[in-house]
Amino acid sequence: MKFILSLPPTTNHIWRYSGHGVYMTAKAKAWKQEAQYRMKMINTQELITTPVEVTARFFLKWDRDVDNLKLVLDALQDIVLDNDSQVQALHVFKAKDKKNPRVELEIA
C-alpha cells in the first residue's frame, strides 16, 4: 500500500510545552488530519492488525532532519494500522525535490 503526502511540519513545529504538559500544535494537527483524509481516500481495506514494514521517502526542498517521522507514523494509526506499534521495520530515505516536496509511504 502506498501513499503520497505533503511534508509534515518539522519537529520544532509539532510540539509545544506549557505548565500543563506537552501538546500538539495546530499546524501539526492540521497536517495529521489532511494526511489521514488522503489515506482514507486510498485505503478502503480494513485496518491492518499484523506486523508491518514501513518505508518513508522524504523529498525535501532543502536538506533538513527527518526526525518528524513520529507524526507520520501516528497518522497511520486507526486509518491504515490498528496501532503504530505494529511497525516492525522502518526504512527512511531522504532526497531533494525543490519543485515537489512530499513524503511517500509504503506499507508492506
Side-chain angles (χ1 to χ4, degrees):
M1 185 175 318
K2 293 183 182 183
F3 302 101
I4 299 174
L5 307 169
S6 64
L7 283 178
T10 62
T11 300
N12 294 337
H13 295 99
I14 296 174
W15 307 108
R16 290 288 177 257
Y17 305 89
S18 73
H20 301 289
V22 179
Y23 64 94
M24 188 181 290
T25 65
K27 188 176 193 176
K29 285 180 185 178
W31 180 88
K32 186 176 174 183
Q33 282 183 320
E34 175 198 338
Q36 288 182 324
Y37 176 78
R38 288 176 164 240
M39 287 187 282
K40 280 182 188 179
M41 299 306 291
I42 294 170
N43 181 35
T44 58
Q45 303 171 4
E46 291 185 27
L47 292 179
I48 298 170
T49 58
T50 57
V52 297
E53 184 172 311
V54 174
T55 301
R57 290 182 176 83
F58 288 82
F59 295 88
L60 309 169
K61 284 185 177 182
W62 60 86
D63 192 25
R64 71 175 212 201
D65 292 344
V66 291
D67 57 357
N68 52 356
L69 189 60
K70 176 67 174 138
L71 183 60
V72 175
L73 297 178
D74 284 349
L76 292 170
Q77 188 165 304
D78 296 325
I79 303 298
V80 178
L81 304 177
D82 185 44
N83 191 295
D84 62 350
S85 67
Q86 294 166 233
V87 177
Q88 299 297 303
L90 183 58
H91 309 279
V92 181
F93 302 93
K94 69 178 183 178
K96 286 188 182 178
D97 189 341
K98 291 183 180 187
K99 293 183 180 182
N100 186 21
R102 66 198 179 279
V103 60
E104 296 180 359
L105 293 177
E106 185 173 345
I107 295 91

